[in-house]
Amino acid sequence: MTVFKQIAFACAAVSLVACGGLPEGEAPQETLDAQQAALTTSSFGGCSFTISSAVIPVELPPRHAITLTRNASGTCPYPAASVELGRSYNTPHIAVLGTSVGLATAFSYKQSPSGSANTQCKVNHIDAATLTKLRDTNIVVNFGAGNVPVCNLDQTDAGTTLVVYGTKTGPLPGETGSGSNYVATYYNFFTSTTAPVYYAY
């Protein structure tokens, strides 16, 4: 994408509120709730998938377990099943997206309870049949000197290109632009291991 297209896409993707308003007649909270619901449920291959997080009982300091669930339905060729994708010492931002090519998940996570530990974003390609990870990547601020607390998912190029967008508190490797918001573009995410291209604004 050109810089102009990246800026336009980022503005459209991040939020209607940030870019100048809401559709007439929609309350801000209703729109935010709808956006969050769209991020945590998606379909692929006739199956519906839901990503969720919950505090692990009894464990101290508390940690959140991030779970992907495949829901049973008449259109899904596989039974209901769940898999734990990871854990985080802070509340994770979570997202799932089914495209025409594959199923992707993203979640922010903190690996240690230490106050100095950073928050990263994990992006995975998930096998819809086995719920195993086919690709496992991380979005991390340079030298770990910052956080990536928000990671949302979108797509371009008929679903072959995966787009991750959100906020950060430091520069990402090789990023162009500057600012606390980012767009990470993974070209051919589901069929290659090509590193993402980062744009900040």
Side-chain angles (χ1 to χ4, degrees), residues 108-120:
S108 61
Y109 69 102
K110 186 178 181 182
Q111 299 182 82
S112 165
S114 168
S116 61
N118 70 347
T119 298
Q120 307 177 14

Side-chain angles (χ1 to χ4, degrees), residues 127-169:
D127 185 312
T130 64
L131 299 185
T132 56
K133 297 177 181 179
L134 300 176
R135 183 176 181 186
D136 190 333
T137 72
N138 289 283
I139 299 176
V140 187
V141 168
N142 282 340
F143 311 112
N147 300 302
V148 185
V150 176
C151 38
N152 300 311
L153 294 174
D154 212 324
Q155 60 180 311
T156 62
D157 302 336
T160 61
T161 295
L162 185 71
V163 176
V164 185
Y165 63 95
T167 59
K168 62 185 181 64
T169 63

Side-chain angles (χ1 to χ4, degrees), residues 125 134-137 160 186-195:
H125 175 195
L134 300 176
R135 183 176 181 186
D136 190 333
T137 72
T160 61
Y186 288 85
Y187 294 101
N188 300 311
F189 175 79
F190 300 102
T191 57
S192 77
T193 57
T194 304

Side-chain angles (χ1 to χ4, degrees), residues 22-127:
L22 298 166
E24 186 175 352
E26 289 193 38
Q29 188 57 51
E30 290 174 353
T31 300
L32 291 174
D33 291 345
Q35 289 174 345
Q36 184 61 39
L39 290 171
T40 56
T41 60
S42 193
S43 298
F44 175 74
C47 302
S48 173
F49 296 87
T50 303
I51 191 170
S52 60
S53 69
V55 175
I56 300 168
V58 183
E59 186 171 321
L60 291 174
R63 272 198 301 175
H64 297 256
I66 299 97
T67 302
L68 180 68
T69 300
R70 183 179 61 218
N71 305 297
S73 73
T75 61
C76 184
Y78 315 112
S82 294
V83 64
E84 184 179 300
L85 298 176
R87 297 185 174 189
S88 175
Y89 279 101
N90 57 9
T91 303
H93 188 95
I94 54 178
V96 61
L97 178 67
T99 76
S100 61
V101 182
L103 179 69
T105 59
F107 61 91
S108 61
Y109 69 102
K110 186 178 181 182
Q111 299 182 82
S112 165
S114 168
S116 61
N118 70 347
T119 298
Q120 307 177 14
C121 174
K122 183 171 287 294
V123 184
N124 293 128
H125 175 195
I126 303 294
D127 185 312

